Amino acid sequence: MTIQEAAAWLKGHDRYLILTHKRPDGDTIGCAAALCLGLRGLGKTAHICPGTGETHLFTPYLAGLLAPDDYIPDAVVSVDIAARGLFTQAGKPWLERGVDLAIDHHPSQEFFAKETCLDAGRAACGEILYEILRELGQVNRQTAVPLYVAVSTDTGCFQYGNTTADTHRVAAALMDTGLDVFPLNKRHFRTKTWARLQVERLIVERMHRYEDGKIAVAPVSLSLMDEAGATEEDMEDIAAFLGQIEGVETSVTIRELEEGGCKLSVRTSGGLNATKVCALLGGGGHAAAAGCTVPGGLEKAETQILAAVRQVEADG
Amino acid sequence: MTIQEAAAWLKGHDRYLILTHKRPDGDTIGCAAALCLGLRGLGKTAHICPGTGETHLFTPYLAGLLAPDDYIPDAVVSVDIAARGLFTQAGKPWLERGVDLAIDHHPSQEFFAKETCLDAGRAACGEILYEILRELGQVNRQTAVPLYVAVSTDTGCFQYGNTTADTHRVAAALMDTGLDVFPLNKRHFRTKTWARLQVERLIVERMHRYEDGKIAVAPVSLSLMDEAGATEEDMEDIAAFLGQIEGVETSVTIRELEEGGCKLSVRTSGGLNATKVCALLGGGGHAAAAGCTVPGGLEKAETQILAAVRQVEADG
C-alpha cells in the first residue's frame, strides 16, 4: 500500500486497535500514539493494545490511549513491527486473528498482515506515520510530539547513519506546528540516571585496552551492576559506550549473565567485520555490530573474543 | 543588508579575506571555510586570515584555505564575530583598517563593520551562510561539509533550544547535495578523548549531591586534571556534564585555577536564576547559565556557592 492508499484505508474503518512491538522503543510507541491521536482527530474510536511493556521513558506518551479490557476493534493496525516473533504477549492473539494493516520501515518485514505499507528507505517508522497523518490532515502540535519522539529516537537525534534529508524535512514540518523540541531532546538525549552514570564510571575504571587503544574491552560483571545499583533499563545501548572513545576501532562489551555464561557485543568502525568475529564463537549480526553468547566467566570470554578478533584481522 | 544584498556585494569584489572569532568554534570555522570555498567557486580569490587558534577538531576544515603572509585583500569579511573584543590577534589590524562586511547571528552584534548582514533569529551563523551561498549558486557537496559542521555544532546536533524548523530545513538541503553526515556526527558528537573520559569518571567519583540530588557540585582540582591527563581542550562544555543527571536542577562545576582561586559555572533547569546566584559572588551571566570567580580553595568555594544557591531559593 502507498501512503495515499493507507490513508484512504484508515478513513474507511472505525474501531481501531494499534499494536506495538515487544521491548518497545520510541519509534513503535511514538507511532502508535500519533496514529491513535490522529484517528481520534478524525472522529474515529482508536486505542493502543495494553501490555506494551513498561518503560520509564516512553510509556508516558501512552497516557489515555490504552484500550479498555472489553474493547472490540473492527480494524487492527501494527506499527514498526517487522516480524511475527516481535509481537507482545497481548498482541499475539491479534496476530492469530489477523492484522489488517502493518505500517513499517524494516527491510526484514515478514508481510504477516493483510495489507502492508512499507518504506524501507525511511530511518524511522515515524517518518511514514508523518506522511500518512499529513495525508489525513492530522499533523498538529498534539500528534507532533510522539512523531518527533519516534523520528528522533530512531536516529539518535539525527546522528546515526540512517538519517536522511527526509528525516530533517519531517522534523522541520513537525516544528512548524509549534512543537517545542527542547524538553523532548533533554529527556531522551541529554539525561542519564544516576545508576547509568555509575555504570559508565565503573566501565572506564575497569576496561582494558589493546593494540595502542584500537581495541577496547569492557567486562561488565554482575557485581559491577550491583555496585552501580543498575537495572536493565539503565543499560540501554551500553554496547555503544566504548565506541565513542577516540582511536577505538573495535569495542567489546561483555555482560556476565545471571544464568551463567557471558553475552558479548562487538562494535567495529575500522572496517573489521564484527559478524565474522562473532561467528567464530557461534554468534552473528551485522558488519559493524554483532554478538554472541559463550559459556564460562568474564576472563575466559575476553581471551576468546580477543583471539577471534585477531584471527579475523589476520585473515584480512 | 539582506541575504540578497550580501550575495550581490560578494559578487562585486575580488580579493577576499575572511575573519573568524577567537577561541574558534565550529560555527565560525565552518562559515569561514564555506564562504571561502563558495567565493573560489565563483572564480574569486579568497583566503581565511591565519592565526584562527588551533583546535584539534576544527582546523582540518581550513586546509588549503589560509592566506599566505603577503596576501593583500580588497574586501574583508567577518563571520560569526559579534564584538570588537572577539577578534583574534591576527584579525585586530583588519578591524582597525576596517571590516567591509560582517555576517552574524548574535543579538549582541556591535555593528563594527561598514555593512552588516545579521539575522539574530538563526541558531547558527552557518544558516545565514547557507542562504547566501544558495543565492550565489554555491551550495554543493564541498561547501555542504563546513556548512553542516557550522549548523550542527552550534545546535548540539539539533538538540539545543535554539534549533528551529529552519535549522532542519538547512540540514535537509545540505544532505540533498549528497553530503554524508555520519562521519561528521561521529567526529563532533560521538567521540571523546581518553582524557575527557577520565575527567568524567573522576567527576562522578568525587562530586557531591545535596537536597535529594537536586543540587550537584563537582570540584575539579588541578590534581584531578593531572590525574586524568587532561588539557583545556578536553574540558569543552564540561559545565554541562552534571546537568544531564536525572533529577539535577542546579549544577555547579568548580575549577581550581593555576593562578589561585576558583572559577564556578552554575547551570539551572528548575527555574532558579543562575545569574542571581552568581551575582552574590560578584559574577553574572544568563538565567540558566552563569559564572563567577572567587579567591580561596575548592572547599571554601563550594560552601559559598551553596549558601548563595540557598539564599536565592529562600528569596523565591
Side-chain angles (χ1 to χ4, degrees):
Chain A
M1 265 193 180
T2 64
I3 298 292
Q4 288 72 26
E5 287 165 348
W9 189 92
L10 289 165
K11 276 190 211 160
H13 295 72
D14 180 31
R15 296 173 64 79
Y16 291 91
L17 182 72
I18 303 164
L19 306 180
T20 53
H21 64 68
K22 68 179 181 188
R23 280 178 270 108
D25 58 12
D27 200 15
T28 197
I29 296 286
C31 285
L35 179 58
C36 193
L37 291 167
L39 289 168
R40 289 184 184 183
L42 289 174
K44 309 286 188 187
T45 301
H47 293 289
I48 296 167
C49 184
T52 55
E54 281 293 315
T55 88
H56 174 63
L57 275 174
F58 300 120
T59 41
Y61 301 110
L62 299 173
L65 303 181
L66 295 175
D69 281 350
D70 56 354
Y71 183 60
I72 300 182
D74 63 19
V76 177
V77 182
S78 71
V79 288
D80 199 42
I81 307 185
R84 290 178 182 83
L86 296 173
F87 280 73
T88 62
Q89 279 305 324
K92 275 179 192 160
W94 295 106
L95 175 63
E96 279 157 37
R97 167 232 180 255
V99 175
D100 297 295
L101 172 63
I103 304 173
D104 190 28
H105 72 124
H106 293 97
S108 54
Q109 169 61 233
E110 284 182 359
F111 297 97
F112 50 77
K114 287 175 206 150
E115 299 285 353
T116 304
C117 177
L118 174 74
D119 183 349
R122 292 297 196 146
C125 191
E127 292 185 31
I128 304 171
L129 258 295
Y130 161 77
E131 302 290 351
I132 292 173
L133 291 186
R134 191 175 61 149
E135 197 70 24
L136 293 170
Q138 291 296 325
V139 174
N140 50 50
R141 204 188 293 198
Q142 206 191 2
T143 57
V145 172
L147 286 175
Y148 183 83
V149 170
V151 169
S152 63
T153 58
D154 242 33
T155 59
C157 207
F158 314 100
Q159 291 183 7
Y160 298 161
N162 60 355
T163 307
T164 70
D166 280 334
T167 316
H168 283 290
R169 272 188 275 270
V170 170
L174 296 176
M175 291 190 76
D176 281 336
T177 67
L179 174 70
D180 181 8
V181 299
F182 182 65
L184 300 174
N185 290 339
K186 177 153 173 54
R187 176 180 180 85
H188 293 291
F189 307 109
R190 307 187 74 80
T191 301
K192 283 182 184 170
T193 61
W194 180 251
R196 171 60 174 242
L197 216 58
Q198 301 308 317
V199 168
E200 295 186 359
R201 169 177 73 84
L202 292 168
I203 282 178
V204 173
E205 200 173 282
R206 296 172 194 180
M207 61 178 286
H208 305 131
R209 292 193 294 169
Y210 302 94
E211 298 186 10
D212 293 327
K214 277 199 290 186
I215 302 176
V217 181
V220 180
S221 62
L222 293 171
S223 69
L224 182 152
M225 294 285 288
D226 273 354
E227 190 175 339
T231 66
E232 220 34 62
E233 239 183 272
D234 299 305
M235 303 303 280
E236 175 78 21
D237 207 23
I238 194 72
F241 179 70
L242 295 183
Q244 71 180 331
I245 305 171
E246 193 177 38
V248 169
E249 294 181 2
T250 300
S251 64
V252 184
T253 307
I254 315 181
R255 302 277 308 269
E256 185 182 11
L257 300 174
E258 296 273 0
E259 62 268 30
C262 293
K263 185 172 180 300
L264 295 89
S265 301
V266 178
R267 297 286 181 275
T268 59
S269 61
L272 190 76
N273 190 313
T275 294
K276 285 188 184 167
V277 172
C278 291
L280 291 173
L281 298 174
H286 305 277
C292 56
T293 304
V294 298
L298 287 165
E299 275 188 49
K300 185 179 160 207
E302 182 162 348
T303 307
Q304 285 179 307
I305 196 76
L306 282 170
V309 166
R310 278 159 184 162
Q311 188 177 326
V312 174
E313 280 178 345
D315 293 348
Chain B
M1 263 192 181
T2 64
I3 298 292
Q4 289 72 26
E5 287 166 346
W9 189 92
L10 288 165
K11 277 189 209 160
H13 296 72
D14 181 31
R15 297 173 63 79
Y16 291 90
L17 183 71
I18 303 163
L19 307 180
T20 53
H21 64 68
K22 69 179 180 187
R23 281 176 271 109
D25 59 13
D27 200 15
T28 197
I29 296 287
C31 285
L35 179 58
C36 192
L37 291 166
L39 289 168
R40 288 184 184 182
L42 289 173
K44 310 285 186 186
T45 300
H47 293 289
I48 296 168
C49 184
T52 56
E54 281 294 317
T55 88
H56 174 62
L57 277 172
F58 300 120
T59 39
Y61 301 110
L62 299 174
L65 302 182
L66 295 176
D69 281 348
D70 55 355
Y71 182 60
I72 299 181
D74 64 20
V76 177
V77 182
S78 71
V79 287
D80 198 41
I81 308 185
R84 291 179 181 83
L86 296 172
F87 280 72
T88 63
Q89 279 304 323
K92 275 180 192 160
W94 295 106
L95 175 62
E96 279 158 37
R97 168 230 178 257
V99 176
D100 297 297
L101 173 63
I103 305 173
D104 190 29
H105 72 125
H106 293 96
S108 54
Q109 168 63 233
E110 284 182 359
F111 297 97
F112 50 76
K114 285 173 208 153
E115 299 285 352
T116 303
C117 178
L118 173 74
D119 184 349
R122 293 297 198 147
C125 191
E127 292 186 30
I128 303 171
L129 258 295
Y130 160 78
E131 302 290 351
I132 292 173
L133 291 186
R134 190 175 63 149
E135 197 70 24
L136 293 170
Q138 291 296 323
V139 174
N140 50 49
R141 204 188 291 201
Q142 206 190 1
T143 57
V145 172
L147 286 175
Y148 183 83
V149 169
V151 169
S152 63
T153 58
D154 242 33
T155 59
C157 206
F158 314 100
Q159 291 182 8
Y160 298 161
N162 60 356
T163 307
T164 70
D166 280 335
T167 315
H168 283 290
R169 272 187 275 270
V170 170
L174 296 176
M175 291 190 75
D176 280 336
T177 67
L179 173 71
D180 181 7
V181 298
F182 182 64
L184 301 175
N185 290 340
K186 180 157 170 52
R187 176 181 180 83
H188 293 292
F189 307 108
R190 307 186 74 80
T191 301
K192 283 182 184 172
T193 62
W194 180 251
R196 170 61 173 240
L197 217 56
Q198 301 307 318
V199 168
E200 295 186 356
R201 169 176 73 82
L202 293 168
I203 282 178
V204 174
E205 202 173 280
R206 297 174 194 178
M207 63 178 286
H208 306 133
R209 292 193 293 169
Y210 303 94
E211 297 185 11
D212 294 325
K214 279 199 289 185
I215 302 176
V217 181
V220 180
S221 62
L222 293 171
S223 69
L224 183 153
M225 295 285 289
D226 272 357
E227 191 175 338
T231 66
E232 220 33 63
E233 239 183 273
D234 299 305
M235 303 303 280
E236 175 78 20
D237 208 22
I238 194 72
F241 179 70
L242 294 183
Q244 71 178 330
I245 304 172
E246 193 176 35
V248 168
E249 295 181 1
T250 300
S251 64
V252 184
T253 308
I254 315 181
R255 303 276 310 269
E256 185 182 12
L257 300 173
E258 296 273 2
E259 60 270 30
C262 293
K263 186 173 179 301
L264 295 90
S265 302
V266 177
R267 298 286 181 274
T268 59
S269 62
L272 189 77
N273 190 312
T275 294
K276 284 188 185 168
V277 172
C278 291
L280 292 173
L281 299 173
H286 305 278
C292 56
T293 304
V294 298
L298 287 166
E299 275 187 52
K300 185 179 161 206
E302 183 163 347
T303 307
Q304 285 179 306
I305 196 78
L306 283 170
V309 166
R310 280 158 184 165
Q311 187 176 329
V312 174
E313 280 177 346
D315 293 347

